[in-house]
Amino acid sequence: MSKEHITVADSALGDCDMAYTAIESIGGIVDEMREGFASGTMRDLSVRRQQLRALLKGLRSEEKRLIDSVYCDLHRSKEEATLCELQAVEYEIGLFLENLDKWARPEGNSLSSEQPAFTMSQSQVRREPLGTVLIMGAWNYPIRLTLLPLVGAIAAGNTVVVKPSEISMHSALAIEHVIAEYMDPRIIRVVQGGADESTELLRQKFDHFFYTGNGTVGRIVARAAAEHLAGVTLELGGKSPAIVHADVADLVPTAFRIVWAKMVNAGQTCVGVDYVLVHRSVKDKLVLLLVDAVRGMYGGSPQKSADYGRIINGRHWKRLMSVLDASEGTLVAVADDEADEADRYFPPTIVDGVRGDDSLMRDELFGPILPIVTYDTLEEAIAFVNARDQPLALYAFAAKDSAEHVVAHTRSGSACVNDTMFFMASHATPFGGVGPSGVGCYTGRASFETFSHRRHVMKRPLWFPTPGLDSMRAPPFAGSENAWKAKLTLAMTYPNIRPLRQTMLGKLATFIPFWRVLVTVPRFLWALVSAQPTMRRHK
């Protein structure tokens, strides 16, 4: 740690002792948030906007504190922390402030144009808040992965309990400071702690559980959500591959983009490249270019680079050393320095000749180790990916047709052609996993949808249908005098339009405005006329 950062960190963060929330108080905190939601305050869009602006003010006013905290936890540079953490959250807030009115506006539906039974009815879908939600953040991008979902939860009108990861202690304290100083405690509260505090939180009744982390804890969170029949969003991870095919246009930017996605944050990124699948014909050249890219970014001794991160703690450092020592692959000379446990430094590492059953291929690495797996045919590479759990991301470096073939024949949370995790900067699209890599999605409008309930509201008059016509829905149905009910109900409620799909003339008719009404009117009138004698007896 540089002298500058020691001074800055000390002045901004103090001694960084973390006080865990008392377990016996957690239930009361959740109850207060439920009471805050029940008050109805968050149904007002102006209140939501005010809270979003308060969070934005906190981010900008406490920028130094937040950047210093990330440096203390992960040795991340100011520039990288700003780009990958703070600016992502600020942009998300701006996106919601700009679009909240539009996204929250009810959607109207003209049901009567398709189903005449709903004539004179009004139907709309309203996006309403879920209630009180729990957000459990992650340690690898502690500001981004905790506050980004918070933006969507607040904008959707929920009250929130935030649980930052205690592993990134300095960042957890900085998050708590921002929320406590700038946001309304009736709307959002922070709970600090480890496994015991998290367990107590998961016993509480929430209307939605949002968790970012590993699959083991994700399953625990999912079980807790199931216990309350609540919704759950799990942002997990997996072994995200980068496939480099023989027909890739240019290996130089390919290697650069792979190395960036692998080594940023010392490899501790859920959508980082976990391993490379490369065609045998270009493998040797790619490996040389990967080494060049590493040294171009971090120099020959990355430990001395101000831009190279550190492993979060000693336990994870030892885990990485263990899986590397057990590998049967060939170490490629990359850095001039060696791993340093005391500094939590793990050098950029490339391992060639890795097989599918190697120790490096069992679990997500979450560190700066890049295994190189060679293949001979594209189908072989696709089969290799599909034999494993669906990853959170998949990257394909290839010509247009080959890349599309890879995307079309694999499954992953997201996919990117000819680039890596830079796609995460897009907030106009949903981000999330599939299967073991996650459940649900967020960012941008997807966050608003995740933390909202789509409530259908229909309004119907009591004077229509008339009592006689209205009786078509109810018993008695038996007897010839009631035969009209089934005919009229079908004509009005579920008109048969399938024949129109079977002829060219019918298909052309579907371009006429209100064509469903025109199709159903004759049947409706015929059924209505035939029912008149019986309907009079029901008046």
Side-chain angles (χ1 to χ4, degrees):
M1 183 181 291
S2 68
K3 181 177 179 181
E4 177 187 357
H5 274 86
I6 290 175
T7 304
V8 170
D10 286 349
S11 63
L13 303 175
D15 57 13
C16 293
D17 288 336
M18 176 184 283
Y20 283 8
T21 303
I23 291 179
E24 60 271 17
S25 70
I26 289 176
I29 292 173
V30 177
D31 288 342
E32 289 176 16
M33 293 300 94
R34 299 190 69 82
E35 291 170 5
F37 178 76
S39 71
T41 302
M42 288 297 284
R43 289 186 177 273
D44 187 341
L45 294 185
S46 65
V47 174
R48 304 182 199 180
R49 282 191 288 267
Q50 186 276 329
Q51 287 301 297
L52 291 176
R53 293 190 182 99
L55 179 57
L56 182 60
K57 180 180 179 181
L59 289 173
R60 291 174 173 173
S61 300
E62 304 294 338
E63 178 181 350
K64 181 172 177 293
R65 178 189 296 269
L66 292 165
I67 289 174
D68 289 343
S69 70
V70 174
Y71 183 89
C72 288
D73 289 325
L74 292 156
H75 195 272
R76 190 178 299 157
S77 68
K78 175 182 178 180
E79 293 76 15
E80 197 170 281
T82 301
L83 174 65
C84 297
E85 303 261 19
L86 273 65
Q87 285 301 312
V89 181
E90 289 194 19
Y91 184 86
E92 184 87 338
I93 294 172
L95 195 64
F96 272 96
L97 289 174
E98 181 180 350
N99 293 285
L100 183 56
D101 287 339
K102 179 173 65 176
W103 293 346
R105 188 177 301 130
E107 294 178 9
N109 287 281
S110 301
L111 292 179
S112 60
S113 67
E114 301 188 11
Q115 296 173 281
F118 295 107
T119 300
M120 307 307 296
S121 299
Q122 294 179 348
S123 181
Q124 61 181 207
V125 176
R126 301 177 182 178
R127 287 170 176 80
E128 299 188 348
L130 296 174
T132 298
V133 305
L134 171 65
I135 295 176
M136 304 180 75
W139 55 260
N140 57 323
Y141 288 83
I143 309 301
R144 178 193 184 111
L145 297 181
T146 304
L147 298 186
L148 208 60
L150 173 63
V151 174
I154 292 294
N158 303 279
T159 55
V160 188
V161 175
V162 172
K163 167 62 177 68
S165 174
E166 76 284 3
I167 295 176
S168 51
M169 180 181 68
H170 302 86
S171 299
L173 290 169
I175 290 170
E176 181 179 20
H177 175 81
V178 169
I179 290 174
E181 290 293 320
Y182 294 89
M183 304 195 73
D184 190 336
R186 298 169 298 176
I187 294 173
I188 176 172
R189 295 282 293 279
V190 174
V191 169
Q192 301 281 22
D196 292 340
E197 290 74 17
S198 295
T199 300
E200 181 62 26
L201 263 177
L202 293 177
R203 291 194 183 104
Q204 308 302 314
K205 178 177 174 57
F206 288 97
D207 298 292
H208 195 88
F209 293 74
F210 191 106
Y211 168 77
T212 303
N214 63 68
T216 300
V217 178
R219 289 176 174 85
I220 296 172
V221 174
R223 285 194 290 270
E227 190 67 26
H228 296 289
L229 295 179
V232 62
T233 303
L234 303 176
E235 298 298 336
L236 307 177
K239 296 185 73 65
S240 299
I243 298 175
V244 182
H245 196 46
D247 58 5
V248 62
D250 192 340
L251 284 173
V252 174
T254 297
F256 174 86
R257 294 174 183 187
I258 289 174
V259 165
W260 172 75
K262 182 61 181 181
M263 302 305 169
V264 67
N265 201 29
Q268 299 164 112
T269 307
C270 58
V271 290
V273 175
D274 191 89
Y275 64 97
V276 172
L277 274 168
V278 56
H279 193 274
R280 192 177 304 277
S281 64
V282 295
K283 190 265 292 183
D284 290 342
K285 184 177 180 180
L286 177 68
V287 170
L288 291 174
L289 290 172
L290 291 171
V291 174
D292 289 344
V294 172
R295 297 179 76 89
M297 292 180 197
Y298 303 110
S301 299
Q303 187 173 15
K304 299 176 182 178
S305 170
D307 300 312
Y308 191 76
R310 296 295 185 269
I311 305 305
I312 185 66
N313 57 30
R315 180 172 66 86
H316 281 278
W317 187 93
K318 291 176 181 177
R319 175 186 60 81
L320 290 169
M321 287 299 298
S322 177
V323 295
L324 182 61
D325 289 342
S327 174
E328 296 181 0
T330 303
L331 281 173
V332 177
V334 179
D336 298 333
D337 49 24
E338 297 181 352
D340 183 346
E341 182 176 2
D343 189 31
R344 295 179 286 128
Y345 168 71
F346 202 103
T349 304
I350 298 174
V351 184
D352 197 3
V354 174
R355 297 166 54 92
D357 58 355
D358 194 86
S359 63
L360 298 177
M361 298 304 298
R362 292 171 192 161
D363 300 303
E364 183 179 8
L365 290 171
F366 228 61
I369 304 173
L370 184 61
I372 307 295
V373 181
T374 307
Y375 68 87
D376 294 301
T377 67
L378 194 56
E379 296 304 325
E380 180 186 347
I382 290 171
F384 189 94
V385 172
N386 288 338
R388 289 156 173 77
D389 289 340
Q390 303 98 300
L392 189 54
L394 180 145
Y395 308 113
F397 291 86
K400 179 180 179 181
D401 290 345
S402 298
E404 179 56 35
H405 186 73
V406 169
V407 173
H409 292 84
T410 54
R411 292 184 295 166
S412 63
S414 298
C416 187
V417 174
N418 291 332
D419 206 340
T420 50
M421 67 180 194
F422 196 72
F423 78 90
M424 288 289 292
S426 168
H427 289 238
T429 51
F431 169 71
V434 58
S437 61
V439 176
C441 58
Y442 75 122
T443 65
R445 184 163 189 170
S447 282
F448 190 75
E449 299 290 346
T450 289
F451 291 108
S452 298
H453 168 60
R454 290 168 59 88
R455 186 185 188 188
H456 177 213
V457 177
M458 179 179 286
K459 298 179 180 180
R460 289 170 59 81
L462 286 173
W463 57 268
F464 184 85
T466 60
L469 187 59
D470 206 19
S471 67
M472 68 180 178
R473 71 170 91 181
F477 298 108
S480 59
E481 69 276 13
N482 294 308
W484 64 275
K485 291 185 176 182
K487 296 178 182 179
L488 192 56
T489 301
L490 287 175
M492 293 185 67
T493 309
Y494 300 115
N496 182 10
I497 61 174
R498 287 191 300 274
L500 283 179
R501 308 294 193 187
Q502 299 171 359
T503 65
M504 180 59 69
L505 186 61
K507 292 177 181 179
L508 290 174
T510 62
F511 288 97
I512 301 174
F514 303 106
W515 63 271
R516 290 182 178 85
V517 175
L518 297 177
V519 170
T520 57
V521 162
R523 291 188 61 197
F524 167 66
L525 292 176
W526 174 82
L528 188 61
V529 169
S530 63
Q532 283 300 312
T534 309
M535 287 171 57
R536 291 193 190 99
R537 293 197 292 271
H538 288 267
K539 291 182 179 179

